[in-house]
Amino acid sequence: MEPVLEVNSLTMDFGGLRAIDQLNLRVMPSEIVALIGPNGAGKTTFFNCITGIYTPSAGDIFLSVNGRRERLNGLKPNRVTQKGIARTFQNIRLFQNMTVLENVMIGRHCRTSSGILGAIFRDRRTRLEEEKVVSDSYKILEKIGLDRFVNELAMNLPYGAQRRLEIARALATEPFLLLLDEPAAGMNQKETQELDELIVNIRDTENISILLIEHDMKLVMRISDRIYVVDYGKKIARGNPLEIQRNPAVIKAYLGEDPDA
Amino acid sequence: MNVRGELKKSFQISAWFMFLTFPILVIRVNTVENVIEWRWYNMAIVGVSTFLGSALWRYLLSVKEKSQRINAASPGNMTSFQKAFSDKRFFYPALFILIGFVISFPFLFSMYQANIMITALIYVMLGLGLNIVVGLAGLLDLGYVAFYAVGAYSYGLLNFHFGLGFWTTLPIAAILAALAGILLGYPVLRLRGDYLAIVTLGFGEIIRLVLENWGEFSHGPSGIANIPRPSLLGIDMTLTQNTIFTYFVMIGLVLFTIFVVNRLQNSRIGRAWIALREDEIACQAMGIDRTRTKLTAFALGATWAGMGGVVFAAKTTFINPASFTIWESVIILCIVVLGGMGSILGVISGALVLTLLPEYLRAFSEYRMLIFGIMLVSMMVFRPEGIIRNVRRTYTFSKE
């Protein structure tokens, strides 16, 4: 089977600093892959490269969808989203002064097409499209469990709900691959538990592959099919949760070397 | 609220002011008789007025904070004004009276009043246009007057060279202004906030300086005179009749603007503008084309300035670059910010307040800028969301 996302020896330099060094990564269809590593290891930079916020210095990024393989290097972020990669942000980036529903409706933007004239004249096609955007968005909110907040401003939501809304908004773009950047950060245990069910549920019902960055090891070990560990921009380990837990290089990166050993 | 603490702070402030103003307001050296005059009454005035002023300021701030705690901004919580507005028993009679007033206005009042109203309506249109750029798309544009100038000069020059009339030029000027908007938009695509403000400010000045110095093209500082007033099927009209006609043309154009802006605001594009304002990176990550969204905002914002410019040229029959200074941009920006960013009703009331107040406050013309400044500062402190807050649209769903 062809991987949904294939990243070959990706390198990202910022001046003299090599944030990502020759990183290879694959995400198979309907797979949950975790990317872990200490702070500053280059995980978010890696996401930014894939989603087009940064243009990588070297290497290739391929997205394979429905048997078509496309190179994503150098595409603008909105084009990448249109191709089928959606993401959430480490520090929540919701549209604070828009309602919850509108936040999700923004996600539908790239799957709809009505323009200026349509907006002014509100012809039949535009009206139907608009109605569909509203009902589709509501369905997504129901699925994520945010439907009771529909008309609430995003900024008034409790923290956990804001994180979920980010996921809802990303799902609205109809992705094939969902990138989650620390989705459980700042959540309590119950919220994390619910999140973990949500992520597995998204994978199972929508057939979306998921690549996530996360520091909550319990969550990572519970839901990931495979884990990549990076440190200083380099991959130091790869494998299933059990292998990663036993890997000496990973233990060293996380806990440091034992000076007495 | 800790009343004693607040009063103590006000007292400290007044003491500090008395100390600061002591050398200039209290001591005066009388050089004729070589004596020092002690004007203690000045100190008393400063002390009492700063004490009262600061106490009032603190009281208003605490009231504001209290009310914020009670109703946190949410689309469900409307202001009393908006509640009254949505009540049909109130809304229809009010609308009826408003329509009656608007129609009878030029017949009830003098031509002077009608002219003031035309100017106010032009500013309503300009405000609504800039509202797209600043209020919705969040692009701080300090050179908006450039598009106003483009509109006015389009009419002036097209009429001078080719004899084109008001109605032919109106759409042409709108298109030219939109093109100018795109022209400005391209180089500033990557800029945000302060940087954008500076570049747009420069752009506005460039247009004005070109008009001022490129004599062969724009007739330089002497401007273009004898621009025809709006015509109606070639009927000859007296000045009074024409003013009334211009008034109604302007009413029509404002209604058209409100209609279009309102529809744009609640559309796919309008939402993209607001998303762009809220968070540019997230907006792109959601699949919105930043370039396109920004350029449409600049172009559609500039369109209204172009049309406003044509009416301005037709109304005054004379234009020169002096009418298009940075000051105009600032006023239009104030209209948007004071009225309420993104809110159509807010911008309309902002425009009416800011253009009509100075006219009717001519008696206090020396204090005009002072009143203006105090008003802006207190608005920003006590009601930063503007006269009328923009309320997001709500949707209702039935559970199936």
Side-chain angles (χ1 to χ4, degrees):
Chain A
M1 204 161 33
E2 211 178 8
V4 176
L5 180 75
E6 185 182 346
V7 177
N8 294 332
S9 55
L10 188 84
T11 300
M12 181 76 214
D13 294 322
F14 293 107
L17 177 79
R18 179 151 289 193
I20 301 175
D21 194 1
Q22 303 271 329
L23 202 65
N24 295 311
L25 183 142
R26 275 190 169 74
V27 181
M28 305 305 284
S30 305
E31 193 182 29
I32 297 179
V33 176
L35 185 63
I36 63 172
N39 288 325
K43 305 179 298 287
T44 298
T45 307
F46 181 72
F47 269 24
N48 286 344
C49 286
I50 296 176
T51 53
I53 294 176
Y54 298 149
T55 309
S57 315
D60 295 303
I61 304 162
F62 293 103
L63 178 74
S64 304
V65 171
N66 303 331
R68 277 189 32 221
R69 190 157 179 266
E70 278 179 286
R71 191 163 175 268
L72 298 181
N73 296 46
L75 284 187
K76 281 195 193 168
N78 56 301
R79 298 283 303 140
V80 173
T81 308
Q82 213 160 23
K83 298 266 180 222
I85 298 184
R87 71 172 291 180
T88 66
F89 293 90
Q90 185 179 355
N91 38 353
I92 302 175
R93 303 194 83 131
L94 289 170
F95 306 119
Q96 302 284 354
N97 287 307
M98 298 175 89
T99 64
V100 168
L101 186 75
E102 282 175 320
N103 266 276
V104 181
M105 282 163 82
I106 286 291
R108 300 296 303 151
H109 187 97
C110 61
R111 303 292 168 217
T112 46
S113 62
S114 69
I116 299 168
L117 290 180
I120 296 172
F121 295 111
R122 268 194 205 158
D123 54 304
R124 207 179 127 73
R125 200 184 70 84
T126 312
R127 276 204 314 274
L128 290 178
E129 188 181 90
E130 187 76 10
E131 274 164 29
K132 191 148 187 325
V133 166
V134 172
S135 63
D136 285 352
S137 305
Y138 186 69
K139 270 183 213 140
I140 293 168
L141 283 176
E142 266 184 329
K143 187 179 155 65
I144 303 289
L146 290 173
D147 46 319
R148 66 205 155 105
F149 295 121
V150 208
N151 287 320
E152 208 63 55
L153 289 189
M155 61 193 257
N156 294 340
L157 288 193
Y159 183 82
Q162 294 200 3
R163 286 241 170 253
R164 292 169 84 91
L165 179 54
E166 276 227 326
I167 297 177
R169 192 176 65 170
L171 284 181
T173 66
E174 290 176 20
F176 297 99
L177 172 68
L178 183 59
L179 307 182
L180 302 174
D181 197 346
E182 298 199 24
M187 282 189 171
N188 62 31
Q189 213 155 27
K190 184 170 160 278
E191 285 170 326
T192 311
Q193 190 92 42
E194 284 167 1
L195 180 78
D196 137 1
E197 284 157 21
L198 176 68
I199 294 174
V200 174
N201 185 1
I202 290 170
R203 188 263 307 265
D204 293 345
T205 58
E206 314 268 333
N207 271 323
I208 295 174
S209 314
I210 290 163
L211 174 61
L212 80 155
I213 295 175
E214 188 47 68
H215 282 301
D216 185 328
M217 282 310 138
K218 276 193 212 137
L219 175 79
V220 170
M221 297 304 165
R222 264 200 313 262
I223 65 174
S224 323
D225 298 317
R226 281 186 309 124
I227 298 171
Y228 285 81
V229 189
V230 286
D231 195 12
Y232 295 110
K234 284 197 178 100
K235 179 163 69 193
I236 57 172
R238 178 182 84 172
N240 63 37
L242 226 60
E243 292 164 0
I244 293 297
Q245 276 167 342
R246 296 203 198 103
N247 190 312
V250 177
I251 295 166
K252 195 177 111 189
Y254 268 88
L255 300 177
E257 217 151 353
D258 186 356
D260 300 331
Chain B
M1 186 176 54
N2 178 3
V3 179
R4 261 187 74 189
E6 296 288 315
L7 286 179
K8 200 176 144 201
K9 269 186 199 142
S10 296
F11 182 73
Q12 283 167 349
I13 286 172
S14 87
W16 178 236
F17 263 78
M18 286 193 279
F19 173 73
L20 280 180
T21 52
F22 180 77
I24 44 169
L25 286 178
V26 179
I27 305 173
R28 178 203 246 166
V29 180
N30 189 331
T31 45
V32 182
E33 291 161 36
N34 271 338
V35 287
I36 293 176
E37 288 171 25
W38 300 92
R39 297 174 298 170
W40 295 109
Y41 59 93
N42 272 349
M43 185 184 237
I45 292 171
V46 168
V48 171
S49 55
T50 44
F51 179 76
L52 290 178
S54 138
L56 180 71
W57 185 264
R58 281 165 186 288
Y59 171 70
L60 289 175
L61 266 184
S62 72
V63 167
K64 181 195 162 205
E65 267 162 30
K66 219 180 262 168
S67 72
Q68 260 176 352
R69 241 172 289 144
I70 293 166
N71 50 16
S74 100
N77 294 340
M78 295 188 285
T79 58
S80 51
F81 175 80
Q82 277 148 341
K83 250 180 225 149
F85 211 75
S86 58
D87 185 349
K88 291 225 176 336
R89 273 174 314 171
F90 175 80
F91 178 70
Y92 284 113
L95 189 72
F96 195 71
I97 294 170
L98 184 72
I99 291 172
F101 178 74
V102 165
I103 291 176
S104 55
F105 184 85
F107 305 106
L108 290 179
F109 298 95
S110 67
M111 278 310 103
Y112 170 70
Q113 304 286 350
N115 263 315
I116 291 175
M117 205 36 110
I118 295 171
T119 311
L121 289 171
I122 292 178
Y123 278 97
V124 169
M125 204 163 145
L126 292 172
L128 287 171
L130 187 63
N131 183 39
I132 293 179
V133 185
V134 178
L136 296 180
L139 304 162
L140 185 51
D141 182 354
L142 285 180
Y144 192 64
V145 74
F147 310 124
Y148 190 36
V150 166
Y153 269 85
S154 305
Y155 183 35
L157 290 172
L158 286 173
N159 182 270
F160 183 81
H161 292 294
F162 307 106
L164 293 187
F166 177 83
W167 294 107
T168 336
T169 326
L170 202 60
I172 298 176
I175 292 166
L176 287 177
L179 288 178
I182 293 171
L183 199 71
L184 166 68
Y186 253 111
V188 301
L189 276 175
R190 292 162 182 281
L191 302 180
R192 251 184 279 181
D194 331 4
Y195 306 100
L196 178 71
I198 291 168
V199 175
T200 51
L201 186 105
F203 179 79
E205 283 298 280
I206 288 170
I207 297 268
R208 188 178 65 83
L209 288 172
V210 166
L211 292 174
E212 204 144 279
N213 293 299
W214 191 5
E216 304 93 78
F217 171 72
S218 67
H219 302 234
S222 53
I224 303 166
N226 293 327
I227 301 170
R229 294 170 188 280
S231 57
L232 175 65
L233 306 165
I235 300 170
D236 273 332
M237 283 187 280
T238 63
L239 187 59
T240 313
Q241 285 169 331
N242 207 298
T243 308
I244 294 172
F245 177 61
T246 313
Y247 171 82
F248 283 111
V249 166
M250 214 39 235
I251 291 282
L253 283 175
V254 165
L255 289 177
F256 176 59
T257 317
I258 294 171
F259 173 78
V260 172
V261 172
N262 183 41
R263 286 215 154 168
L264 282 174
Q265 192 163 299
N266 288 313
S267 72
R268 176 172 172 267
I269 290 183
R271 280 194 301 273
W273 285 336
I274 299 170
L276 191 73
R277 173 189 80 192
E278 293 294 314
D279 191 320
E280 201 168 309
I281 291 188
C283 172
Q284 287 186 82
M286 288 302 112
I288 290 172
D289 187 341
R290 183 182 67 171
T291 310
R292 221 163 133 182
T293 310
K294 275 194 184 179
L295 289 182
T296 49
F298 271 119
L300 284 173
T303 308
W304 307 108
M307 300 219 266
V310 173
V311 180
F312 172 75
K315 172 188 167 272
T316 54
T317 70
F318 166 74
I319 47 169
N320 73 349
S323 308
F324 307 103
T325 55
I326 168 80
W327 179 240
E328 293 295 315
S329 295
V330 173
I331 292 275
I332 305 166
L333 187 67
C334 284
I335 285 172
V336 176
V337 175
L338 186 86
M341 297 235 267
S343 147
I344 292 179
L345 268 180
V347 171
I348 294 171
S349 40
L352 293 178
V353 167
L354 283 192
T355 50
L356 296 183
L357 264 194
E359 288 298 338
Y360 294 120
L361 287 181
R362 275 199 189 279
F364 316 95
S365 56
E366 286 147 59
Y367 301 107
R368 204 196 285 173
M369 282 299 123
L370 188 68
I371 296 172
F372 198 72
I374 291 173
M375 204 169 76
L376 280 179
V377 170
S378 27
M379 270 304 280
M380 285 307 101
V381 171
F382 297 114
R383 224 184 139 79
E385 68 273 18
I387 298 174
I388 297 172
R389 194 177 65 210
N390 177 25
V391 177
R392 302 303 313 152
R393 186 169 166 190
T394 55
Y395 296 83
T396 45
F397 297 92
S398 53
K399 289 242 177 205
E400 61 265 17

